[in-house]
DNA sequence: TGAAAACTGTAATGTACGTTACATTATCCT
DNA sequence: AGGATAATGTAACGTACATTACAGTTTTCA
């Protein structure tokens, strides 16, 4: 039933999504829906909570400090790119941005599941590299911020708004390489 | 009347905004609204079109090639930051991201008024500096993308979703300086 | 097996709101 | 001034939909 809710909510938005449509798709009954979630908002929150954890899960994998830094960054960037270009994750993003003011718990859940773990893991990883003298980076948080910001470029915004289709793998890979190049420049320069 | 529509739409979103509320606020009459705009969607589009041009206007100012590059970048970054942290612009952003799928004309209008002019102007400016040997930058578009991406950091996302209040001027200025530092690093390095 | 709990289908209720109709009033132009 | 044009106020219409009520059915499990 949460799957059906996700599909309908992500496609139409909160207000336009009708509970009858969700029930029709999920196969359950309206009564059970109210039994389980209490209200439309309850179902919405439960769905977002579940999907946040599920969609963002690839972003929480820790990084082994022994590997080549560039390869590690590329791996992280590819994982992030995969999430950014996932149609369901894009629906979730639109929900968080569009309904976040009406539902303050949405941004909380989103940041706690996605950006926060990714950024703390990256800060830990890069700080470790810096401490061991492998890279020189006096301001790790800023570099991590820069990395995340650069990943979410026009490519992402134009896709999430439907202005262009999901890009080919080659195009996302080019973007990954470009961002990692720029970040590596920030790490090795003096 | 467009002012009232903007206030109500930006605060509540398209579906939750009621035409009666807009009329009550604007002082006009429901009949005139339909006379002028034809429907709720018509008013919405007219409002977004008007506000896009108005809000994004500071981003379209051209740059004099004679000035110090860093100062120019700081000036651009401050202007962009001013727009990003403007409550009305944030409402517009939420509309474009949240309702863009239902209203494909919204992203079109938005990109044409905001990101597109800013980026082409910056590309022109930096290419000129490169051609004249003032900076070294073989891939200007990527640097411009990086600049725009870094400006829209967590600071912006957490503010636009209501997770934190509009930041103090000192905080935005720190962010401006940090981004410009990183971009200058991309321009001068080898 | 048999009762308790959970699930289902359908109908009813209430409400909010977009949209239209229409009669009335104000504004403009020559 | 006076007719044409636009603006206003109000009421009505229709619809979509969240929510509840209730009676019937299935599942669970001891």
């Amino acid at each position: 039933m949460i799957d059906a809710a996700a599909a309908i909510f992500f496609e139409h938005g909160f207000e336009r999504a009708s509970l009858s449509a969700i029930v029709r798709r999920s196969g359950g009954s309206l009564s059970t829906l109210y039994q389980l979630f209490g209200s439309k908002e309850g179902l919405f929150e439960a769905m977002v909570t579940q999907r946040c954890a599920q969609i963002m899960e690839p972003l929480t994998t820790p990084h082994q400090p022994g590997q080549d830094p560039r390869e590690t960054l590329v791996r992280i960037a590819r994982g992030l790119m995969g999430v950014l270009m996932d149609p369901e994750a894009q629906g979730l993003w639109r929900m968080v941005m569009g309904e976040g003011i009406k539902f303050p718990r949405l941004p909380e859940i989103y940041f706690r599941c996605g950006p926060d773990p990714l950024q703390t893991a990256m800060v830990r990883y890069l700080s470790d590299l810096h401490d061991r003298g492998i890279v020189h980076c006096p301001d790790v948080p800023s570099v991590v911020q820069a990395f995340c910001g650069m990943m979410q470029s026009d490519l992402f915004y134009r896709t999430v708004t439907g202005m262009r289709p999901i890009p080919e793998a080659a195009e996302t890979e080019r973007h990954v390489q470009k961002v990692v190049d720029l970040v590596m420049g920030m790490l090795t320069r003096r």
Side-chain angles (χ1 to χ4, degrees), chain A residues 10-181:
Chain A
F10 288 163
E11 185 179 358
H12 297 97
F14 178 78
E15 294 288 340
R16 273 182 289 265
S18 102
L19 293 183
S20 329
I22 291 174
V23 166
R24 209 177 312 130
R25 186 188 189 107
S26 80
S29 82
L30 197 53
S31 317
T32 329
L33 191 156
Y34 273 90
Q35 185 82 12
L36 293 176
F37 304 104
S39 68
K40 188 183 188 181
E41 302 194 359
L43 170 63
F44 185 58
E45 255 198 49
M47 182 276 287
V48 169
T49 307
Q50 193 270 344
R51 276 302 199 272
C52 258
Q54 178 179 326
I55 292 172
M56 306 294 191
E57 193 270 337
L59 300 186
T60 63
T61 49
H63 321 302
Q64 299 86 343
Q67 293 186 331
D68 173 49
R70 189 176 205 287
E71 249 343 285
T72 302
L73 285 183
V74 166
R75 197 167 41 77
I76 297 172
R78 286 203 189 112
L80 176 52
M81 205 64 190
V83 170
L84 289 178
M85 291 306 161
D86 173 40
E88 247 203 350
Q90 295 190 347
L92 176 63
W93 163 273
R94 287 194 296 265
M95 290 293 101
V96 172
M97 293 296 142
E99 317 276 7
I101 293 291
K102 190 80 185 184
F103 298 91
R105 288 177 47 78
L106 260 54
E108 279 176 33
I109 298 168
Y110 169 79
F111 281 100
R112 185 154 37 77
C113 291
D116 287 348
L118 175 65
Q119 289 182 21
T120 58
M122 282 193 72
V123 166
R124 195 184 353 259
Y125 173 70
L126 289 181
S127 298
D128 181 64
L129 289 187
H130 174 78
D131 292 345
R132 291 161 57 205
I134 299 176
V135 303
H136 178 80
C137 182
D139 186 358
V140 167
S142 289
V143 172
V144 171
Q145 287 279 326
F147 171 81
C148 294
M150 286 190 285
M151 289 299 296
Q152 256 158 321
S153 67
D154 256 31
L155 187 62
F156 171 70
Y157 291 124
R158 292 188 136 91
T159 308
V160 87
T161 54
M163 284 200 71
R164 43 168 306 168
I166 308 258
E168 306 282 329
E171 190 168 7
T172 64
E173 181 62 21
R174 263 202 306 282
H175 186 239
V176 162
Q177 295 294 334
K178 216 165 266 182
V179 169
V180 172
D181 282 346

